[in-house]
Amino acid sequence: MKPFTYERAASPAQAAAAAIQMPGAKFIAGGTNLLDLMKLQIETPAHLIDVNGLALDTIEPTQEGGLRIGALVSNTDLAADARVRRDYGLLARALLAGASGQLRNKATTAGNLLQRTRCPYFYDTDQPCNKRHPGSGCSAIGGVTRQLGVIGTSDACIATHPSDMAVALRALDATVETVRADGATRRIPVAELHRLPGDTPHVETALEPGELITAVVLPAPVGGTQIYRKVRDRASYAFALVSVGAVLQHDGTGRIAVGGIAPKPWRVEEAEAELANGARAFTTRLLAGARPTRDNAFKVALVERTLAAVLNEARG
Ligand SMILES: Cc1cc2nc3c(=O)[nH]c(=O)nc-3n(C[C@H](O)[C@H](O)[C@H](O)COP(=O)(O)OP(=O)(O)OC[C@H]3O[C@@H](n4cnc5c(N)ncnc54)[C@H](O)[C@@H]3O)c2cc1C
Ligand code: SF4
């Protein structure tokens, strides 16, 4: 691990201001992703700003009837919250499908959203990777791509975003609240938080330098049958090959976000109009323009089958 300096943030605005003042600074929350990356010298922050002491660890009702989830609420506490379990079952299920109990105890809401890809070449510092070293090339293209993306990818990067929680938040139309270095706050829909790679796969989110996530806001509950189904190589403690987060209403309408296939939770609202015509019609629309590789072409069929299973489960 490279040497770094360390400070504890005094307030969200101070944390954001400090991150701008110190070149190479990073926020640290649970540390379950960042510390691993630092040990491997994939991330080498010169300065860590520890946000754990900030009062961002509560879940409060909003005036609109939804919930404001503090950035530091742990994945365990969020999944166990009675209001989340009752009104946003999709979110609780997605969280419990991720990582392990010990990791979820440490992992935070913001850290989970901002965790980095699990592309094996990203983790192998002997291999070129445009996300690690812009312009060095992409070892995954032409390499082993079973875990990698089929849509939203580019000639520079075909990595996926690994978060289960983000898939649920996308289907639930959540919004992220932030504070910037100048103290200004703003809201970013989860739909717009993660960027597609294009020519700059190292730029992963819409956040500005130093911008701190302070909360995630859920709109008022929409009811329906909420299902999260995750398909992976092992029954537990593995990232999704494909996952489907669904909110399905009795009239046949619904919202579907898919994980494991793209650099962000993949949702195409227009495809949801096809739900009444079945899983194949929906998947054809959802994955229009997909660019699977030899190793991961199976994901196209797997999305359809996973959704078919979800629709069957919803019918009871
Ligand atoms: C073995 C293993 C298995 C896993 N399996 C799964 C899985 O199946 N599904 C899944 O979804 N996840 C899985 N994870 C990932 C885990 O969910 C993430 O590591 C965790 O959610 C990250 O949260 P954290 O608080 O520890 O983030 P940290 O490691 O502290 O930070 C992650 C990133 O977020 C930034 N950050 C943190 N807080 C803020 C903030 N408030 N504002 C702005 N930036 C911030 C940090 O600077 C850093 O870049 C697994 C992890 C491990 C190690
Ligand atoms: S897919 Fe992206 S993360 Fe993986 S090697 Fe290529 S550039 Fe790096």
Side-chain angles (χ1 to χ4, degrees), residues 26-36 43 51 71 75 97-99 103 106-108 110-112 114-115 118 162-165 207 211-213 230 237-239:
K26 291 235 36 157
F27 303 122
I28 185 160
T32 60
N33 189 219
L34 182 58
L35 275 181
D36 282 352
E43 298 230 30
V51 296
N75 290 179
L103 282 161
K106 288 298 291 176
T108 64
N112 189 313
L114 298 180
Q115 64 177 289
R118 293 284 161 170
S163 167
D164 292 293
M165 184 190 79
L207 296 175
E211 192 166 1
L212 179 83
I213 295 179
K230 177 175 177 179
Y237 209 39
F239 290 91

Side-chain angles (χ1 to χ4, degrees), residues 80-263:
D81 185 273
R83 296 158 294 184
V84 172
R85 288 164 61 90
R86 185 189 63 217
D87 296 329
Y88 307 95
L90 172 59
L91 177 57
R93 291 187 180 101
L95 283 160
L96 294 174
S100 66
Q102 285 167 314
L103 282 161
R104 292 194 297 268
N105 287 345
K106 288 298 291 176
T108 64
T109 302
N112 189 313
L113 273 175
L114 298 180
Q115 64 177 289
R116 304 200 68 192
T117 184
R118 293 284 161 170
C119 170
Y121 301 100
F122 177 71
Y123 278 81
D124 183 346
T125 50
D126 290 333
Q127 304 289 331
C129 168
N130 286 324
K131 201 182 266 302
R132 244 188 306 106
H133 289 301
S136 62
C138 172
S139 301
I141 296 174
V144 178
T145 57
R146 179 174 172 76
Q147 286 285 348
L148 300 179
V150 298
I151 195 159
T153 55
S154 73
D155 291 340
C157 181
I158 58 170
T160 56
H161 194 274
S163 167
D164 292 293
M165 184 190 79
V167 176
L169 293 180
R170 179 69 181 94
L172 292 167
D173 280 333
T175 303
V176 166
E177 286 184 351
T178 71
V179 61
R180 289 188 274 197
D182 62 2
T185 59
R186 65 168 174 154
R187 285 187 163 197
I188 308 169
V190 165
E192 294 164 22
L193 178 65
H194 300 102
R195 289 171 44 129
L196 297 183
D199 295 332
T200 54
H202 59 292
V203 184
E204 295 177 343
T205 71
L207 296 175
E208 293 176 6
E211 192 166 1
L212 179 83
I213 295 179
T214 51
V216 170
V217 177
L218 293 170
V222 293
T225 302
Q226 302 197 7
I227 296 172
Y228 189 73
R229 183 175 280 250
K230 177 175 177 179
V231 182
R232 44 189 157 174
D233 279 329
R234 284 194 306 267
S236 72
Y237 209 39
F239 290 91
L241 288 167
V242 163
S243 68
V244 170
V247 181
L248 298 164
Q249 305 295 348
H250 292 304
D251 63 4
T253 62
R255 303 171 184 184
I256 308 285
V258 179
I261 60 167

